[in-house]
Amino acid sequence: MSEPSDRPSRPASKPSERPSWLEIAADDPFGVHNLPYGAFDPGDGSRRLGARIGDRVLDLAALERAGLVEARGTLQAATLNPYMALGRPYWKAVRDRLTELLTDQIFRYRVERLLVPLADVTPGLPFEVGDYVDFYSSQEHATNLGRLFRPGSPPLLPNWKHLPIGYHGRAGTVVVSGTDIVRPNGQRKPPDAPAPTFGPSQRLDIEAEVGFVVGAPSSLGTPLTTKDFYEYEFGVVLHNDRSARELQAWEYQPLGPFLGKSFATSVSAWVVPLDALAQARVPAPEQSPPVLPYLADERTGYDIRIEVVWNGTVVSRPPFSGLYWTPAQQLAHLTANGASVRPGDLYASGTVSGAKRAEVGSFIELTWGGAEPVTLADGRTRTFLEDGDTVTLTATAPGLDGTVVGFGEVVGRIQPPRR
Ligand code: CA
């Protein structure tokens, strides 16, 4: 983008117009164009809010106490919820102020001392999860799962192209990246078995998704429109909806996923502000047949590119931009009956799968129900997760002026069942 040469010396800046006084590489995905929010333990067991910049964390609690930023005291909290509840005008003002503090040399002396090396802190869950909804918005994933779970039937059910399918999940078991995942026990019954059995899941899987964090509260009884997405949506996390497939297959009809999903859901430690993703907006795929008017206005997707790494081997690169239903449509749909949202509500996109095998977001698709094992770099083969396995999700999106927006990672190691 060209800039006028006679612009004032202190323009109302876009974030990357001025580089940070911190030495950060231009291709660092956590440059001043990103500034994701998190909550960290500085080493004393407490929890404080921070913004990630490069390989450091800006201590937002200390910044607010020093009078360098004003957010009505909400940056003193242990979670982002009170700050998110302030709404978009505050989110924008604080983000603009953080950009100013990190780019204007005038502030360097006072701000530099409030930066903590990322390596010295332990990131925690950045927000208290309110209600958690998991959608099912990739046509490729829904088609693949339909074929695997209901062979011989039409893979897409008749409602799929008319509404974003979702279910309410278990908010209390959403855990931050780095948390070990204990293999769940549960009940299962193969189709040809005479009776169900109970035991450790042998078909433990991942679902690579993008999670959307609601910031501002809405009023009970008043639906949100697709346009309201930009006022209510605070930011985005990477999301791994862990799934025990044989438990899911036995229990999910007629009321949907239950214990096969509720044992753990992992999210990244850094919430990327929606404002950092303005350059990642892309047209979502055409919808045919046309959707109902309350879902029709907003067709914005996001060019978020996910990478799935299994024990160090990249096994898939799911493209978020191809999802059939957009996050704005999902928000409009989940409030269409008047249900309200609260700060910290989390809704996930659904497994992100592209059209190719190398783009699927789950191992049940990657190995086609376990029939086609994958070989990892260490020569070992896998169908589903084994104890000790580690899966890491990472993602990037285009940022301002050729920069890259990073999402950090979602990582977790599989532990054996405890009973
Ligand atoms: Ca899911």
Side-chain angles (χ1 to χ4, degrees), residues 132 134-136 141 167 207 209 239 241 243 261 348 350-351:
Y132 164 44
D134 189 26
F135 282 103
Y136 193 53
H141 174 73
Y167 66 94
E207 290 192 336
E209 308 194 18
H239 189 105
D241 171 28
S243 303
K261 297 278 195 175
T351 307

Side-chain angles (χ1 to χ4, degrees), residues 233-416:
E233 197 62 35
F234 178 76
V236 177
V237 291
L238 268 181
H239 189 105
N240 185 342
D241 171 28
R242 299 177 180 279
S243 303
R245 295 302 181 192
E246 78 276 54
L247 278 52
Q248 179 185 358
W250 172 229
E251 74 179 2
Y252 86 107
Q253 296 193 85
L255 285 184
F258 187 35
L259 301 180
K261 297 278 195 175
S262 65
F263 55 94
T265 303
S266 308
V267 295
S268 54
W270 300 102
V271 184
V272 174
L274 198 64
D275 290 339
L277 294 171
Q279 284 71 31
R281 293 166 63 169
V282 290
E286 286 293 309
Q287 292 184 312
S288 177
V291 296
L292 289 167
Y294 80 100
L295 292 169
D297 291 340
E298 184 55 60
R299 294 298 304 140
T300 299
Y302 287 86
D303 182 12
I304 300 171
R305 301 165 194 190
I306 305 171
E307 202 165 79
V308 181
V309 183
W310 196 346
N311 293 347
T313 302
V314 177
V315 294
S316 179
R317 291 187 172 89
F320 183 78
S321 59
L323 256 58
Y324 193 83
W325 294 102
T326 69
Q329 290 179 312
Q330 290 168 337
L331 184 62
H333 186 64
L334 82 81
T335 62
N337 63 352
S340 49
V341 291
R342 296 176 292 174
D345 279 7
L346 171 69
Y347 63 96
S349 59
T351 307
V352 180
S353 288
K356 303 172 189 163
R357 182 67 64 92
E359 294 178 338
V360 295
S362 71
F363 297 155
I364 192 173
E365 293 168 273
L366 185 71
T367 68
W368 204 247
E372 300 171 16
V374 294
T375 302
L376 305 180
D378 62 5
R380 300 183 183 190
T381 58
R382 285 287 187 278
T383 50
F384 293 95
L385 288 160
E386 298 191 5
D387 291 346
D389 279 3
T390 298
V391 171
T392 306
L393 308 181
T394 61
T396 56
L400 195 62
D401 296 340
T403 57
V404 171
V405 175
F407 290 77
E409 62 182 18
V410 182
V411 61
R413 192 160 182 261
I414 306 302
Q415 300 291 348

